[in-house]
Amino acid sequence: MQFPKPSAYAAHWAHDPSVVYLNHGSFGGTPRVVMEAQRAWRDRMERELVRWFVEEHWQAIDQARRALGVFLNCPWDSIAPIPNATQAVATVFANTRLSPGDEVLITSHEYPACQNNARWWVSKQGASVVVADIPFPIRSAGEVTEAILAKVTARTKLAMLSHVTSSSGLVLPVEEIVPALEKRGVRTLIDGAHAPGMVPVDLGALGASYYTANCHKWICSPKGSAFLYVRPELQEGFRPLALSNDAEKPKAGRAQFLTEFEYVGTNDMTAFYAIPDAIRVMGGMVAGRDGASGWTSLMRHNRELCLKGRDIICKRLGIEPPAPDGMIGSICTMVLPPHPSALRERLAQRPTKYHDALWDVLLEKWRIQVPIWTVAKTGHRTCRISAQVYNSVEQYEYLAEALAVELEAERGL
Ligand SMILES: Cc1ncc(COP(=O)(O)O)c(C=O)c1O
């Protein structure tokens, strides 16, 4: 089978052309022109660093917050810049006062770093983490809502759940779950690391207490450009993990929430300044279809491509889709056909640089970058595809063929 070409949009990215890159989900990917915009911000900063940090940094941050506020439909001054979603989650836990016996609810699909932070911060206060088990594969979004609400008790103080889960790649029905939890007096922390730019995000309508996301994933800004939204009435006394100079010197006319988060010690925040550039560039990448905005068209394009990729792989491997279409955005995780357990155990002993020797083989032999993960609890071996505008249908056909060939080769080992 011929090595597949990416789509024509790939010219906007600086990818290695010898690799079929099907893992936008892990670290995103920034178009060349957005990287140039970040360089321009850095050049401005480096011309006169003192003036930059005293006079101009705030304006650049506010400009980025305003663009995000429009994109996410929330007040611009509810948004704190933060390097990544992991730190945002830790920050929310650090600001959550719990008593012994209190409970924090999470799901079994939460990202490992977020689970680690939940356990660390919650156990320090003598409280406990309760896990709502979400099935995978899954038949309906309602199963998620049921699993979460079934675990709410009078001691539940906070619930953390992903908007789009990481390794299982599911869009969770947060629009249904958040109001149900908040109504029961449970504060909600939504880990939207993958969501903005993949699915519509309307923070005004959602009503979550806290929402964090990585703009570097599907908005395609540079790495280090995450945000933490804190609902206005929860901002008083809400502080970053580290306090800098202005913690003890509030600025006249500026909320302490803004002051403390926008300067947490010296840092290069050019990735955050470049968010409006990324929003503009990605929003203009795919021509609006049927009167839809550029962003709506881009999200639709990526989702349709992802569903096509899923269908190609499921058909070639003779497997079932993992979830209803409504729970799929631009990443999709499929459960690979299982091997007999003795073979599975032997295969798991093979050395790997990544997570599974199959991942290494796909990269080294086929030049495909795609994650292969095993779910510890169920033993399901999975493959998660991503679909960004630079990917092509031929790339999924090539992956399907590679998987079929390598899984067959494994059966003979
Ligand atoms: C759902 C989810 N949450 C949190 C994170 C953590 O992001 P970061 O490593 O940028 O903090 C990721 C990373 O992929 C993720 O997928």
Side-chain angles (χ1 to χ4, degrees):
M1 192 174 196
Q2 269 211 329
F3 189 76
K5 287 203 177 82
S7 81
Y9 291 106
H12 293 287
W13 275 263
H15 287 154
D16 177 348
S18 76
V19 173
V20 176
Y21 198 72
L22 293 175
N23 191 5
H24 188 89
S26 281
F27 298 106
T30 306
R32 295 171 196 275
V33 354
V34 178
M35 293 202 291
E36 276 159 29
Q38 183 187 21
R39 264 193 295 279
W41 280 113
R42 193 170 284 135
D43 290 347
R44 279 177 65 183
M45 177 175 83
E46 291 289 338
R47 268 171 67 82
E48 220 283 42
L49 284 157
V50 175
R51 189 174 68 214
W52 182 264
F53 280 108
V54 173
E55 289 186 43
E56 292 171 70
H57 162 73
W58 327 102
Q59 292 158 26
I61 289 281
D62 283 359
Q63 197 176 313
R65 283 194 241 253
R66 285 181 198 280
L68 267 178
V70 171
F71 194 75
L72 304 165
N73 187 32
C74 70
W76 69 273
D77 53 2
S78 302
I79 294 171
I82 202 144
N84 52 54
T86 303
Q87 293 194 35
V89 163
T91 304
V92 172
F93 283 119
N95 279 277
T96 302
R97 294 280 81 80
L98 298 167
S99 305
D102 283 348
E103 294 171 0
V104 167
L105 180 54
I106 66 171
T107 83
S108 52
H109 289 223
E110 296 316 307
Y111 187 74
C114 301
Q115 294 200 33
N116 290 341
N117 275 291
R119 297 208 163 83
W120 163 245
W121 289 98
V122 170
S123 65
K124 277 207 297 192
Q125 301 191 70
S128 54
V129 172
V130 172
V131 181
D133 213 4
I134 295 177
F136 186 80
I138 188 164
R139 284 188 307 271
S140 78
E143 290 183 59
V144 181
T145 312
E146 270 169 38
I148 291 175
L149 295 184
K151 292 283 185 180
V152 175
T153 71
R155 307 306 306 257
T156 313
K157 295 291 180 281
L158 175 73
M160 174 179 75
L161 62 140
S162 297
H163 194 161
V164 180
T165 63
S166 178
S167 59
S168 53
L170 299 175
V171 181
L172 300 190
V174 292
E175 295 82 2
E176 206 176 288
I177 298 166
V178 167
L181 288 169
E182 295 276 345
K183 202 171 79 190
R184 289 164 168 77
V186 178
R187 286 196 183 158
T188 48
L189 161 57
I190 304 304
D191 171 7
H194 279 278
M198 184 200 282
V199 292
V201 177
D202 183 336
L203 294 185
L206 188 63
S209 299
Y210 313 102
Y211 191 105
T212 179
N214 279 332
C215 299
H216 73 255
K217 287 189 190 271
W218 296 91
I219 292 179
C220 297
S221 53
K223 258 66 58 200
S225 55
F227 69 86
L228 172 59
Y229 160 87
V230 178
R231 214 169 55 208
E233 77 273 17
L234 302 175
Q235 289 167 12
E236 173 110 33
F238 189 96
R239 311 192 85 172
L241 288 174
L243 298 179
S244 191
N245 308 333
D246 290 345
E248 304 306 331
K249 277 194 283 164
K251 280 211 189 87
R254 196 158 180 91
Q256 194 63 5
F257 172 73
L258 297 182
T259 306
E260 292 190 1
F261 275 93
E262 61 209 0
Y263 190 87
V264 189
T266 310
N267 191 15
D268 178 346
M269 293 182 73
T270 51
F272 196 85
Y273 309 151
I275 289 172
D277 300 290
I279 291 177
R280 180 179 44 76
V281 169
M282 291 304 292
M285 186 90 49
V286 172
R289 282 192 324 208
D290 313 327
S293 74
W295 265 103
T296 302
S297 303
L298 175 69
M299 290 191 278
R300 262 194 221 155
H301 172 101
N302 288 344
R303 180 166 178 270
E304 284 166 13
L305 183 60
C306 184
L307 291 172
K308 261 190 211 145
R310 176 202 66 182
D311 290 345
I312 289 166
I313 292 162
C314 286
K315 186 162 172 225
R316 183 70 180 84
L317 301 183
I319 54 177
E320 290 299 315
D325 287 5
M327 297 185 78
I328 303 297
S330 357
I331 53 177
C332 181
T333 301
M334 286 150 284
V335 179
L336 297 175
H339 291 314
S341 60
L343 174 59
R344 212 161 54 209
E345 275 161 34
R346 262 205 325 280
L347 292 175
Q349 304 308 316
R350 291 180 299 175
T352 170
K353 277 191 245 168
Y354 288 85
H355 184 93
D356 184 309
L358 176 59
W359 184 340
D360 299 41
V361 169
L362 289 171
L363 184 58
E364 282 158 24
K365 183 169 152 197
W366 297 79
R367 307 291 295 156
I368 302 170
Q369 182 58 270
V370 75
I372 306 289
W373 288 303
T374 295
V375 184
K377 194 162 169 209
T378 57
H380 285 143
R381 199 177 187 205
T382 64
C383 173
R384 187 189 75 185
I385 55 167
S386 295
Q388 182 50 280
V389 67
Y390 52 71
N391 292 124
S392 65
V393 170
E394 293 73 32
Q395 292 181 316
Y396 302 102
E397 288 167 346
Y398 181 71
L399 170 63
E401 184 61 21
L403 284 169
V405 169
E406 295 305 331
L407 290 169
E408 183 54 35
E410 284 183 350
R411 285 181 198 111
L413 291 177

